[in-house]
Amino acid sequence: MNYVLAIDQGTTSSRAIIFDEALKVVAIAQEEFEQHYPASGWVEHDVSDLWSTTAGTCRQVIERAGVSSGSIAAVGITNQRETVVLWDRKTGQPVHNAIVWQDRRTASLCAKLRADGHEDVIKEKTGLLLDPYFSGTKLAWILDNVDGARAKAEAGDLLFGTVDCFLIWKLTGGAVHATDATNAARTLLYDIHQGCWSEDICKLLGIPMSLLPEVKDCAAEFGHTRPDLFGRELPILGVAGDQQAATIGQACFEPGMLKSTYGTGCFALLNTGATPVASQNRLLTTIGYQFGGRPTYALEGSIFIAGAVVQWLRDGLKIIREAKETQPLAESADPEQSVILVPAFTGLGAPYWHAECRGAIYGLTRNSGPAELARAALESVGFQTRDLLEAMHADWDAEAGGQVLRVDGGMSASDWAMQFLSDIIGAPVDRPEVLETTATGAAWLAGMQAGVYPQMEEFARDWSLERRFKPSMPEDVRDKKYAAWQRAVKATMQA
Ligand code: G3P
């Protein structure tokens, strides 16, 4: 039997999953790690946590699955994207904590670059916007704020990577400094049309190009793991950023196919095929996946707070103990009340890109309580998804906003939330049988490259539906609700 080990290094935890020859999950190991918030709007990870939880969960899952490392044919990696690691190429020591994708510390740098007229060229080359979300300005911040970092970088002593790249470097014992095209496409430094790092943007941000990794296809040779880690060398053969891996795991391989993943945030990707579509509606143009040196592009809408709003109900308001309590609470909410929560806890992402605004609640009455707040929290995820689909619809073609949405991620387990989603977008929502789509995507990339798993067409045929949610909300109610949401967002951005 051939197995594949998938590593999913996420924002709040690291996971390792063993898949069998039929691409079925055999065992999972997961470890959470600490989030560091050194200042308002700043989010960091201790780089040693990223490594120790990754290596630890890999060892655990191999043991739990009861497989020998000799039967693992390949390793696939998927990861939280945009998060920046900068380390010393000789000692392996990071020069700073990892600056996480959610971190807003470079908002003023982005505003300055925008005011100086640089957004258009950045957008044209990278498909992204000038927002602190992406890696480039975070990397510039480290070089400008950590003593001696710039001098070391200029001397060629430092290496930059998104988390995949850092893990590849660690797993291979420093032998390989490489990333894949989907992760490179999130850095603000990569020209998605030319398929190379942009000299102009690196110059603009003051980033020495010697820091940058080699960029490969998603299914490629990324080196071998150190033999002492798992008992023998294992080939790393697949890499993709987590949202792209989910797009692959959802088998969204045809132009027009669309998926939305509900984790901490929500990320919707629409496959636009070989053509990069420049968004007129503040969506991102990104690489969905790349094989044989040929990128397939996607339009992406990124929302920063989705599942995190349920965490806030649990840890902040303490009105639930577990995420699954949200559903019965929402069901019991008073239908007469229209409480709207705009969860702009860290500003708003697509399509608004408002880094400075903060969350707000509207429509409270004396009878509003935990049930109405829970419903408003779940509804906010549906409303935000509709915002993204409206923008996609306007950018691409008439079909994009009205067709089936494939969903995955923690919150997709909630029937209530998925029914509301279908109601508010007015389109079917498909939940697949396998909800481990991100890890499945990474495993398939590696296993396909190793010759264990089938090629794309056959893999896509095996995707199977668990449940389709169909819209049942009357159109006038849908329109009224969505209009109320739009008013609430406008007021939040103006507050
Ligand atoms: O762009 C950020 C995204 O990749 C993070 O995903 O699942 O770790 O919250 P997740």
Side-chain angles (χ1 to χ4, degrees), residues 8-13 45 79-83 100-102 133-134 183 186 241-244 261-267 300 302-304 438:
D8 179 2
Q9 201 306 304
T11 311
T12 55
S13 71
H45 291 157
N79 55 292
Q80 52 168 323
R81 307 166 305 166
E82 300 98 11
T83 297
V100 178
W101 57 277
Q102 295 154 320
Y133 175 30
F134 308 106
N183 275 293
R186 314 298 297 184
D242 57 7
Q243 300 312 318
Q244 282 86 346
T261 301
Y262 298 93
T264 313
C266 156
F267 302 88
E300 174 173 327
S302 319
I303 304 170
F304 301 141
T438 304

Side-chain angles (χ1 to χ4, degrees), residues 6-133:
I7 294 170
D8 179 2
Q9 201 306 304
T11 311
T12 55
S13 71
S14 300
R15 307 168 79 231
I17 298 126
I18 296 272
F19 288 84
D20 69 12
E21 248 170 39
L23 203 44
K24 294 271 175 294
V25 173
V26 177
I28 302 179
Q30 174 164 7
E31 267 184 52
E32 294 200 357
F33 53 85
E34 208 180 330
Q35 308 289 309
H36 300 272
Y37 305 105
S40 167
W42 294 27
V43 189
E44 296 181 356
H45 291 157
D46 184 331
V47 178
S48 63
D49 285 345
L50 300 180
W51 170 240
S52 65
T53 54
T54 298
T57 49
C58 285
R59 288 197 196 96
Q60 284 164 37
V61 82
I62 291 171
E63 199 183 313
R64 198 166 291 168
V67 302
S68 74
S69 52
S71 60
I72 297 176
V75 179
I77 300 176
T78 183
N79 55 292
Q80 52 168 323
R81 307 166 305 166
E82 300 98 11
T83 297
V84 169
V85 187
L86 184 65
W87 70 96
D88 187 305
R89 71 157 81 225
K90 289 191 202 96
T91 64
Q93 282 305 309
V95 305
H96 192 270
N97 272 348
I99 303 188
V100 178
W101 57 277
Q102 295 154 320
D103 190 292
R104 317 302 291 163
R105 80 185 63 185
T106 60
S108 55
L109 172 58
C110 291
K112 183 172 181 310
L113 289 164
R114 202 176 307 120
D116 292 346
H118 296 299
E119 187 158 61
D120 283 352
V121 68
I122 287 189
K123 193 175 164 211
E124 194 190 302
K125 286 182 193 291
T126 67
L128 308 177
L129 298 164
L130 263 172
D131 188 88
Y133 175 30

